[in-house]
């Protein structure tokens, strides 16, 4: 007999008939000899309706009262589903988040789970009852008795957290698609269903806008080793398993707010190749990395900064042993990339940096916490370490620094994030513990994602000195603004005796105007130039643990965009993700081209139910 947690979203319980169908599925699972906890969302568009009511009363409703209001949606569903199970002869009891014992931070509308008191829940399970739990909600503490909600995707988070607390055999997430697909089936009907995907790959895809699972739910599954499967509410198909490595022992206290960083990593076996002032037009990145691929050269980080005039900078890192070959390729191709209209002093230039190191912080707990990257940058600044390149992903932030400063950087980061010496890892010695091994026989790219809800901010002429990134991203963190891609220009200009670089980063569109206004207000005080906001962008990304050590993946992605005459405005990479910023109007076309280039289409067409 297995202990299973099942979660059903709003579409799955959107009507009386659908609630009865869910009850039949639950009843069938119990009769197969299993114990079941069911977590449900509010019916259909109930939450949207409640939000609309609130905004009709107040344009800026109180967050505490919003939690009180929105938590009622799930309470309707749990009562109705319990009644439906009882009508089938199955003992069942409905319980709110507070009754279950989901204790959270005292943060209304976006609380994180501290722990779950499972005594009452276990008693009902042992009595043979199906416990039907209201997802998305908890209680701040036993003393205060404040109802809190977990924010978007909260029912996913509730379900996986309960599975972790109960040490359930697995957690099933039922939704309106048959599992996890290679891309959004509303944009590519031939998107292919995956049998399995690693937690790291799913973390990236979920954070890039794939709405099947919320990143916080994947984070908990990753941290506690909860076997997770995504299935359709409408069929009996096996769905997609989300797999993770065996977790290290982790306390269930402070379940979602345990330390965000688990490891500090470093790699001193790196060198940087930068091409400055390459033309800002389609096909340039494809041509460069196509030649690198043909030479079988494996590239680590790739960045392309925001354009300056009609040109861009592209930089990439390689291991030291292949630097000469990479330099030869860049030097040979630079003349072909030069724009005939540029004056000679503005021609493409190859710049080599040998004495560099990459230092990284890694941990699945940094999702949605804007202060983590800011703390890393501040720590490096306090240690007098200047940052040359930045690369971000959902489970890692990496900075390229001077090799002579590597030891000092690592020691400072270990101290700041309270990492023991044994938890510091050299990338030269072993792969990151936050990269699951790719599944057997899997292609290098597992999925393609499109995010149309981002805006880009560029700050011109930022002083190139330790502490600037810390000040910039510290300010954003103080205003609870999360940053996604961060690109530092390789081109350095000396103005009034001060070396300066441009820096660009992406944020959620809803944060764009506020971020611009806030940063413009402090620009003169902090000595940087104009702050430019662009809302008309799209970010298209490929994800796959199998792309590590596979030259040519980036080249294929860039070539697919070039063939469609889609210009790449920014590039950022991590070990298992490559992201490109393109014009918003070309976002869907870009996703479809990349999905086709990696031959991810299946033979079946998926239609998402209304």
């Amino acid at each position: 007999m297995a202990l299973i947690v099942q979660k059903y979203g709003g579409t799955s319980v959107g009507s009386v008939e659908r609630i009865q169908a869910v009850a039949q599925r639950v009843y069938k699972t119990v009769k197969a000899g299993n114990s079941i906890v069911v977590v449900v969302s509010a019916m259909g568009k109930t939450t949207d309706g409640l939000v609309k009511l609130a905004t009709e009363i107040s344009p800026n409703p109180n967050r505490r009262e919003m939690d009180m209001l929105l938590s009622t949606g799930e309470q309707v569903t749990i009562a109705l589903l319990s009644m439906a199970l009882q009508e089938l002869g199955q003992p069942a009891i409905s319980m709110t988040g507070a009754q279950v014992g989901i204790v959270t931070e005292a943060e209304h509308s976006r609380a994180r789970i501290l722990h779950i008191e499972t005594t009452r829940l276990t008693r009902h399970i042992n009595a043979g009852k199906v416990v039907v739990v209201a997802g998305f909600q908890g209680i701040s503490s036993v003393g205060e008795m404040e109802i809190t909600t977990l924010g978007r995707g909260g029912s996913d988070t509730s379900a996986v957290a309960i599975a972790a607390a109960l040490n359930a055999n697995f957690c099933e997430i039922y939704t309106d698609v048959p599992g996890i697909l290679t891309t959004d089936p509303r944009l590519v009907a031939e998107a292919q269903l995956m049998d399995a995907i690693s937690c790291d790959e799913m973390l990236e895809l979920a954070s890039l806008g794939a709405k099947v699972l919320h990143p916080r739910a994947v984070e908990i599954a990753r941290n506690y080793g909860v076997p997770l499967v995504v299935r359709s509410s409408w069929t009996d198909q096996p769905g997609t398993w989300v797999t993770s490595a065996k977790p290290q022992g982790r306390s269930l206290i402070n379940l979602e707010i345990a330390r965000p960083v688990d490891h500090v990593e470093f790699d001193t076996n790196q060198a940087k190749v930068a091409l400055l002032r390459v033309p800002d037009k389609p096909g340039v990145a494809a041509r460069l990395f196509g030649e690198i691929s043909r030479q079988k050269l494996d590239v680590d980080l790739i960045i392309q900064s925001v354009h300056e005039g009609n040109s861009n900078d592209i930089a990439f890192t390689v291991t030291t042993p292949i630097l000469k070959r990479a330099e030869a390729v860049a030097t040979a191709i630079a003349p072909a990339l030069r724009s005939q209209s540029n004056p000679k002093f503005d021609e493409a230039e190859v710049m080599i940096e040998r004495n560099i190191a990459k230092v990284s912080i890694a941990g699945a707990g940094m999702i949605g916490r804007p202060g983590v990257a800011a703390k890393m940058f501040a720590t490096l600044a306090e240690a007098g370490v200047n940052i040359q390149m930045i690369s971000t992903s959902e489970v890692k932030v990496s900075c390229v620094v001077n090799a002579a400063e590597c030891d000092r950087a690592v020691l400072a980061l270990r101290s700041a994030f309270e990492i023991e010496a044994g938890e510091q890892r050299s990338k030269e010695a072993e792969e990151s513990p936050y990269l699951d091994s790719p599944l057997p026989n899997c292609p290098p790219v597992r999925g393609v994602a499109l995010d149309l809800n981002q805006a880009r901010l560029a700050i011109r002429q930022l002083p190139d000195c330790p502490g600037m990134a810390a000040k910039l991203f510290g300010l954003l963190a103080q205003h609870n603004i999360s940053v996604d891609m961060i690109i530092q220009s390789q081109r350095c200009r000396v103005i009034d005796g001060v070396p300066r670089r441009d820096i660009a980063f992406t944020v959620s569109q809803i944060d764009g105007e506020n971020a611009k206004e806030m940063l413009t207000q402090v620009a003169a005080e902090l000595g940087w130039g104009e702050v430019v906001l662009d809302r008309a962008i799209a970010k298209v990304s490929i994800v796959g643990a199998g792309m590590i050590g596979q030259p040519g993946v980036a080249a294929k992605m860039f070539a697919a965009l070039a063939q469609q005459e889609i210009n790449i405005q920014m590039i950022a990479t991590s070990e298992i993700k490559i992201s490109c910023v393109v014009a918003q109007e070309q976002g869907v076309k870009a996703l479809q081209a990349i999905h086709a280039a990696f031959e991810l289409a299946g033979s079946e067409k998926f239609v998402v139910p209304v």
Side-chain angles (χ1 to χ4, degrees):
M1 183 176 77
L3 173 57
I4 304 169
V5 177
Q6 295 183 341
K7 179 262 176 179
Y8 294 89
T11 307
S12 303
V13 291
S15 66
V16 168
E17 293 74 21
R18 289 184 176 180
I19 288 173
Q20 289 171 329
V22 166
Q24 289 284 355
R25 186 186 288 270
V26 173
Y27 181 68
K28 180 180 176 182
T29 307
V30 173
K31 288 306 174 186
N34 302 296
S35 297
I36 305 293
V37 175
V38 182
V39 178
V40 292
S41 300
M43 295 174 64
K45 300 292 183 181
T46 298
T47 301
D48 292 342
L50 293 173
V51 170
K52 185 173 184 294
L53 286 174
T55 54
E56 288 174 359
I57 296 290
S58 168
N60 187 27
N62 178 275
R63 283 168 54 193
R64 178 191 182 276
E65 303 308 328
M66 283 301 291
D67 277 2
M68 187 69 73
L69 175 67
L70 297 183
S71 65
T72 63
E74 280 72 21
Q75 288 171 225
V76 172
T77 315
I78 60 174
L80 292 174
L81 181 55
S82 293
M83 293 174 194
L85 286 164
Q86 290 162 8
E87 284 298 304
L88 295 173
Q90 172 59 48
I93 184 169
S94 61
M95 298 178 74
T96 65
Q99 289 172 320
V100 167
I102 299 177
V103 181
T104 75
E105 301 171 297
E107 280 282 345
H108 289 292
S109 79
R110 56 172 183 244
R112 287 181 178 265
I113 298 171
L114 299 179
H115 63 277
I116 301 177
E117 302 281 357
T118 59
T119 306
R120 188 176 180 187
L121 188 56
T122 303
R123 186 171 70 246
H124 288 303
I125 293 170
N126 291 340
K129 296 177 184 175
V130 170
V131 184
V132 185
V133 179
F136 175 68
Q137 61 180 248
I139 189 168
S140 62
S141 72
V142 176
E144 292 292 331
M145 300 292 287
E146 287 289 325
I147 293 174
T148 56
T149 63
L150 309 182
R152 188 178 70 84
S155 293
D156 287 354
T157 305
S158 300
V160 181
I162 289 170
L166 291 173
N167 195 26
N169 293 85
F170 54 91
C171 178
E172 298 176 319
I173 305 291
Y174 284 93
T175 183
D176 51 9
V177 291
I180 299 163
L181 303 171
T182 51
T183 196
D184 187 339
R186 288 165 294 194
L187 302 178
V188 180
E190 298 81 10
Q192 189 173 355
L193 178 66
M194 291 182 256
D195 295 331
I197 187 171
S198 72
C199 265
D200 284 321
E201 292 168 323
M202 192 64 238
L203 271 173
E204 297 287 7
L205 287 172
S207 302
L208 291 166
K211 298 180 177 65
V212 177
L213 276 174
H214 194 273
R216 280 171 63 184
V218 184
E219 174 192 357
I220 297 169
R222 176 86 172 73
N223 286 344
Y224 293 95
V226 177
L228 194 58
V229 60
V230 179
R231 291 184 170 139
S232 170
S233 299
W234 324 115
T235 71
D236 291 322
Q237 291 182 2
T240 305
W241 284 92
V242 183
T243 65
S244 61
K246 186 178 180 181
Q248 300 172 0
R250 198 180 187 102
S251 172
L252 288 163
I253 303 299
N254 292 334
L255 191 145
E256 273 202 283
I257 64 165
R259 65 181 188 184
V261 174
D262 288 330
H263 297 282
V264 175
E265 300 170 7
F266 63 94
D267 183 358
T268 55
N269 190 32
Q270 292 226 330
K272 179 176 70 176
V273 180
L275 277 82
L276 311 184
R277 296 183 295 275
V278 297
D280 181 32
K281 63 181 183 181
V284 171
R287 193 166 181 179
L288 170 61
F289 289 99
E291 186 58 36
I292 288 171
S293 172
R294 282 188 286 275
Q295 298 298 322
K296 306 295 183 186
L297 299 177
D298 195 17
V299 171
D300 185 4
L301 303 181
I302 302 172
I303 66 164
Q304 177 182 306
S305 58
V306 64
H307 69 88
E308 184 175 341
N310 60 354
S311 67
N312 270 323
D313 302 337
I314 299 178
F316 57 93
T317 61
V318 294
T319 58
T320 305
I322 65 170
L323 173 60
K324 287 187 177 180
R325 292 169 60 202
E327 181 181 2
V329 170
T331 302
I333 205 168
L337 296 179
R338 290 170 182 159
S339 171
Q340 299 301 315
S341 61
N342 280 350
K344 187 166 180 63
F345 68 84
D346 216 22
E347 287 180 341
E349 173 190 351
V350 178
M351 183 175 69
I352 305 299
E353 183 75 46
R354 289 177 172 81
N355 299 314
I356 65 167
K358 182 175 72 172
V359 293
S360 309
I361 55 173
M366 61 177 69
I367 296 170
R369 300 184 193 181
V372 176
K375 183 176 180 178
M376 181 186 191
F377 303 151
T379 300
L380 294 176
E382 289 166 9
V385 177
N386 197 36
I387 300 169
Q388 299 182 24
M389 293 173 71
I390 299 169
S391 172
T392 59
S393 79
E394 284 309 313
V395 294
K396 182 179 286 190
V397 180
S398 299
C399 294
V400 170
V401 302
N402 190 297
E405 299 173 338
C406 180
D407 289 346
R408 188 162 77 248
V410 169
L411 287 171
L413 292 171
R414 277 177 49 204
S415 175
F417 290 103
E418 301 178 2
I419 305 299
E420 298 294 330
E423 297 168 296
Q424 162 198 336
R425 297 172 184 262
S426 166
K427 190 69 183 297
E428 295 170 290
E430 58 182 308
E431 290 297 327
S432 166
Y434 275 87
L435 285 176
D436 296 333
S437 298
L439 296 163
N441 303 317
C442 280
V445 174
R446 306 301 314 287
V448 186
L450 175 67
D451 190 343
L452 295 170
N453 297 311
Q454 291 210 339
R456 178 180 61 212
L457 285 141
I459 302 178
R460 301 294 187 183
Q461 300 174 8
L462 199 77
D464 183 29
C465 59
M468 267 300 141
K471 289 177 181 176
L472 168 58
F473 296 105
L475 280 168
L476 294 168
Q478 287 171 23
H479 288 76
N480 203 36
I481 296 174
S482 292
V483 175
D484 184 15
M485 296 172 68
I486 303 173
I487 306 294
Q488 196 169 340
S489 172
Q490 296 302 296
R491 206 177 312 183
C492 186
R493 297 181 183 274
V494 178
I495 301 175
D496 297 328
V498 179
R500 297 174 180 272
R501 298 181 191 271
D502 296 343
I503 194 165
F505 54 91
T506 59
V507 298
S508 170
Q509 275 195 359
I510 60 173
D511 290 327
E513 291 291 347
N514 289 339
K516 180 186 177 183
E517 182 179 346
M518 182 263 293
L519 295 174
T520 300
Q521 288 173 356
V522 300
E525 176 190 344
L526 295 177
W528 60 52
E530 182 185 12
V531 180
V532 181
L533 173 66
D534 185 355
R535 298 171 61 89
I537 65 165
K539 184 181 74 172
V540 62
S541 308
I542 58 175
V543 172
M547 69 173 66
I548 300 172
Q550 291 285 331
V553 174
K556 182 180 283 191
M557 179 184 189
F558 303 154
L561 296 176
Q563 287 167 10
Q564 298 297 320
E565 291 294 315
I566 296 173
N567 193 35
I568 300 173
Q569 299 180 16
M570 292 169 67
I571 301 170
T573 67
S574 70
E575 282 94 337
I576 65 170
K577 178 180 70 175
I578 302 173
S579 295
C580 295
V581 168
V582 301
Q584 190 176 64
E585 62 187 18
Q586 295 182 309
V588 173
K589 184 179 178 182
L591 175 137
Q592 292 169 340
I594 293 167
H595 193 269
F598 286 99
E599 301 177 351
L600 295 176
S603 57
E604 183 179 353
K605 290 190 176 183
F606 292 103
V607 178
V608 179
V610 178

